[in-house]
Amino acid sequence: MVHRRAWALALGLAACTGPQARSKKSVAELLAAGDPAAAARLIESRRAEYGASNSALYDLDLGLALHYAGAYRESAARFESAATRLDELYTKSVSAAGGRLLANENISDFRGRPLDRALGQFFDALNYALLGEPDEALVAVRRLEAFLDELGQTAQEPAPYPDDGLARY
């Protein structure tokens, strides 16, 4: 009897991981194997698994894979799309955030952490630098600087991500 319950629990937990967790592992394996183009294709083929609430996460994941694949313009477009979506979500009203406390957090939009936003902007700047577009790269760097400055002013102590020395460098 206990054995059956253990199997039922294991199967239930496996079902909760969903296909996205398996997809993430496959993408990581492709990136580690040095095939970022295949990783980007896999992410694109599994767009539906992200769902509408994770559109920014999809753009961040695809943007990173495209960057490593050398598709800098496409990567920059994905990072800019993610930044736009994260900015929209960041500026949503507090009352909407309070409503999420009553619902399952998994059904709310992916808002990203400060690290996610900073890394997206960092790679966006790298993309433009690698494309030989220094003016666009500087715009991305200034956006990153402004974000980090704002983060430093609004972060509560102790800040989980107070600044980014590499990005500022």
Side-chain angles (χ1 to χ4, degrees), residues 28-56:
E29 289 169 351
L30 288 169
L31 289 171
D35 195 353
R41 287 191 301 273
L42 181 60
I43 293 167
E44 288 173 325
S45 73
R46 301 213 169 141
R47 171 65 176 110
E49 291 179 16
Y50 284 83
S53 63
N54 288 317
S55 61

Short mmCIF file of all heavy atoms in Angstrom, two decimals, residues 28-56:
data_model
loop_
_atom_site.label_atom_id
_atom_site.label_comp_id
_atom_site.label_asym_id
_atom_site.label_seq_id
_atom_site.Cartn_x
_atom_site.Cartn_y
_atom_site.Cartn_z
N ALA A 28 19.53 23.63 -22.54
CA ALA A 28 20.81 23.75 -21.84
C ALA A 28 21.82 22.75 -22.38
O ALA A 28 23.01 23.08 -22.54
CB ALA A 28 20.61 23.56 -20.34
N GLU A 29 21.36 21.54 -22.66
CA GLU A 29 22.26 20.52 -23.21
C GLU A 29 22.77 20.93 -24.59
O GLU A 29 23.95 20.75 -24.89
CB GLU A 29 21.55 19.17 -23.27
CG GLU A 29 21.33 18.55 -21.91
CD GLU A 29 20.39 17.35 -21.94
OE1 GLU A 29 19.77 17.09 -23.00
OE2 GLU A 29 20.29 16.68 -20.90
N LEU A 30 21.90 21.49 -25.43
CA LEU A 30 22.32 21.94 -26.76
C LEU A 30 23.31 23.09 -26.67
O LEU A 30 24.29 23.15 -27.42
CB LEU A 30 21.10 22.34 -27.60
CG LEU A 30 20.23 21.18 -28.09
CD1 LEU A 30 18.92 21.70 -28.66
CD2 LEU A 30 20.98 20.35 -29.11
N LEU A 31 23.06 24.02 -25.75
CA LEU A 31 23.99 25.14 -25.57
C LEU A 31 25.34 24.63 -25.08
O LEU A 31 26.39 25.06 -25.56
CB LEU A 31 23.41 26.17 -24.61
CG LEU A 31 22.24 27.00 -25.15
CD1 LEU A 31 21.64 27.84 -24.02
CD2 LEU A 31 22.67 27.88 -26.30
N ALA A 32 25.31 23.71 -24.13
CA ALA A 32 26.56 23.16 -23.59
C ALA A 32 27.33 22.37 -24.66
O ALA A 32 28.55 22.34 -24.64
CB ALA A 32 26.27 22.27 -22.39
N ALA A 33 26.60 21.77 -25.60
CA ALA A 33 27.23 21.00 -26.66
C ALA A 33 27.75 21.89 -27.78
O ALA A 33 28.35 21.39 -28.73
CB ALA A 33 26.25 19.97 -27.22
N GLY A 34 27.53 23.20 -27.66
CA GLY A 34 28.03 24.12 -28.67
C GLY A 34 27.14 24.25 -29.89
O GLY A 34 27.63 24.61 -30.96
N ASP A 35 25.85 24.00 -29.74
CA ASP A 35 24.92 24.13 -30.86
C ASP A 35 23.79 25.11 -30.51
O ASP A 35 22.64 24.71 -30.34
CB ASP A 35 24.36 22.76 -31.23
CG ASP A 35 23.69 22.75 -32.59
OD1 ASP A 35 23.54 23.83 -33.20
OD2 ASP A 35 23.31 21.65 -33.06
N PRO A 36 24.12 26.40 -30.39
CA PRO A 36 23.09 27.37 -30.00
C PRO A 36 22.00 27.56 -31.06
O PRO A 36 20.88 27.89 -30.72
CB PRO A 36 23.88 28.66 -29.78
CG PRO A 36 25.13 28.49 -30.58
CD PRO A 36 25.42 27.02 -30.57
N ALA A 37 22.32 27.32 -32.34
CA ALA A 37 21.29 27.45 -33.37
C ALA A 37 20.20 26.39 -33.17
O ALA A 37 19.00 26.68 -33.30
CB ALA A 37 21.91 27.31 -34.76
N ALA A 38 20.60 25.19 -32.82
CA ALA A 38 19.62 24.13 -32.53
C ALA A 38 18.82 24.48 -31.27
O ALA A 38 17.62 24.21 -31.20
CB ALA A 38 20.31 22.78 -32.38
N ALA A 39 19.49 25.06 -30.29
CA ALA A 39 18.79 25.48 -29.07
C ALA A 39 17.74 26.54 -29.40
O ALA A 39 16.61 26.48 -28.89
CB ALA A 39 19.78 26.01 -28.04
N ALA A 40 18.09 27.49 -30.27
CA ALA A 40 17.14 28.53 -30.67
C ALA A 40 15.95 27.91 -31.40
O ALA A 40 14.80 28.28 -31.16
CB ALA A 40 17.83 29.57 -31.54
N ARG A 41 16.23 26.96 -32.29
CA ARG A 41 15.13 26.30 -33.01
C ARG A 41 14.22 25.54 -32.05
O ARG A 41 13.00 25.54 -32.21
CB ARG A 41 15.68 25.37 -34.08
CG ARG A 41 16.27 26.08 -35.28
CD ARG A 41 16.57 25.12 -36.43
NE ARG A 41 17.50 24.06 -36.07
CZ ARG A 41 18.83 24.16 -36.13
NH1 ARG A 41 19.38 25.31 -36.55
NH2 ARG A 41 19.61 23.15 -35.80
N LEU A 42 14.82 24.90 -31.06
CA LEU A 42 14.02 24.17 -30.07
C LEU A 42 13.14 25.12 -29.27
O LEU A 42 11.96 24.84 -29.04
CB LEU A 42 14.93 23.37 -29.13
CG LEU A 42 14.24 22.54 -28.06
CD1 LEU A 42 13.31 21.50 -28.69
CD2 LEU A 42 15.27 21.85 -27.18
N ILE A 43 13.70 26.24 -28.86
CA ILE A 43 12.90 27.24 -28.12
C ILE A 43 11.75 27.72 -28.99
O ILE A 43 10.60 27.81 -28.54
CB ILE A 43 13.79 28.42 -27.66
CG1 ILE A 43 14.79 27.94 -26.61
CG2 ILE A 43 12.93 29.56 -27.13
CD1 ILE A 43 15.90 28.94 -26.31
N GLU A 44 12.04 28.04 -30.24
CA GLU A 44 10.99 28.51 -31.15
C GLU A 44 9.91 27.46 -31.35
O GLU A 44 8.72 27.79 -31.40
CB GLU A 44 11.60 28.91 -32.50
CG GLU A 44 12.39 30.19 -32.43
CD GLU A 44 13.13 30.50 -33.73
OE1 GLU A 44 13.59 29.56 -34.41
OE2 GLU A 44 13.24 31.70 -34.05
N SER A 45 10.31 26.20 -31.46
CA SER A 45 9.33 25.13 -31.69
C SER A 45 8.45 24.89 -30.47
O SER A 45 7.37 24.32 -30.59
CB SER A 45 10.03 23.83 -32.08
OG SER A 45 10.67 23.25 -30.96
N ARG A 46 8.89 25.33 -29.31
CA ARG A 46 8.14 25.10 -28.08
C ARG A 46 7.55 26.39 -27.52
O ARG A 46 7.30 26.50 -26.32
CB ARG A 46 9.04 24.43 -27.05
CG ARG A 46 9.57 23.10 -27.63
CD ARG A 46 9.76 22.10 -26.60
NE ARG A 46 10.02 20.80 -27.20
CZ ARG A 46 10.88 19.94 -26.72
NH1 ARG A 46 11.55 20.22 -25.64
NH2 ARG A 46 11.03 18.78 -27.31
N ARG A 47 7.27 27.33 -28.38
CA ARG A 47 6.72 28.63 -27.97
C ARG A 47 5.45 28.46 -27.16
O ARG A 47 5.24 29.14 -26.16
CB ARG A 47 6.46 29.49 -29.22
CG ARG A 47 5.70 30.77 -28.97
CD ARG A 47 6.51 31.70 -28.09
NE ARG A 47 5.86 32.97 -27.89
CZ ARG A 47 5.34 33.37 -26.74
NH1 ARG A 47 5.37 32.59 -25.69
NH2 ARG A 47 4.78 34.54 -26.61
N ALA A 48 4.59 27.55 -27.56
CA ALA A 48 3.31 27.37 -26.88
C ALA A 48 3.48 26.94 -25.42
O ALA A 48 2.64 27.25 -24.58
CB ALA A 48 2.46 26.35 -27.62
N GLU A 49 4.58 26.26 -25.11
CA GLU A 49 4.81 25.82 -23.74
C GLU A 49 5.03 26.99 -22.78
O GLU A 49 4.78 26.87 -21.59
CB GLU A 49 6.01 24.87 -23.68
CG GLU A 49 5.77 23.55 -24.34
CD GLU A 49 6.98 22.65 -24.29
OE1 GLU A 49 7.91 22.91 -23.50
OE2 GLU A 49 7.00 21.67 -25.05
N TYR A 50 5.54 28.09 -23.30
CA TYR A 50 5.76 29.26 -22.45
C TYR A 50 4.44 29.92 -22.08
O TYR A 50 4.30 30.46 -20.99
CB TYR A 50 6.66 30.27 -23.16
CG TYR A 50 8.12 29.88 -23.19
CD1 TYR A 50 8.62 29.02 -24.15
CD2 TYR A 50 9.00 30.39 -22.24
CE1 TYR A 50 9.96 28.67 -24.18
CE2 TYR A 50 10.34 30.06 -22.27
CZ TYR A 50 10.81 29.18 -23.23
OH TYR A 50 12.13 28.85 -23.25
N GLY A 51 3.50 29.92 -23.00
CA GLY A 51 2.22 30.56 -22.75
C GLY A 51 2.32 32.07 -22.82
O GLY A 51 3.41 32.65 -22.85
N ALA A 52 1.18 32.71 -22.84
CA ALA A 52 1.13 34.17 -22.96
C ALA A 52 1.73 34.87 -21.75
O ALA A 52 2.32 35.95 -21.88
CB ALA A 52 -0.31 34.62 -23.16
N SER A 53 1.61 34.28 -20.58
CA SER A 53 2.09 34.95 -19.36
C SER A 53 3.62 34.93 -19.25
O SER A 53 4.19 35.63 -18.43
CB SER A 53 1.47 34.32 -18.12
OG SER A 53 1.86 32.97 -18.01
N ASN A 54 4.28 34.13 -20.08
CA ASN A 54 5.74 34.05 -20.03
C ASN A 54 6.38 34.56 -21.32
O ASN A 54 7.45 34.09 -21.71
CB ASN A 54 6.18 32.60 -19.77
CG ASN A 54 5.90 32.18 -18.36
OD1 ASN A 54 6.14 32.92 -17.42
ND2 ASN A 54 5.38 30.98 -18.20
N SER A 55 5.74 35.51 -21.96
CA SER A 55 6.27 36.01 -23.24
C SER A 55 7.64 36.67 -23.04
O SER A 55 8.53 36.53 -23.90
CB SER A 55 5.30 36.98 -23.90
OG SER A 55 5.08 38.11 -23.08
N ALA A 56 7.85 37.36 -21.94
CA ALA A 56 9.15 37.99 -21.70
C ALA A 56 10.23 36.93 -21.47
O ALA A 56 11.35 37.06 -21.96
CB ALA A 56 9.08 38.95 -20.51
#
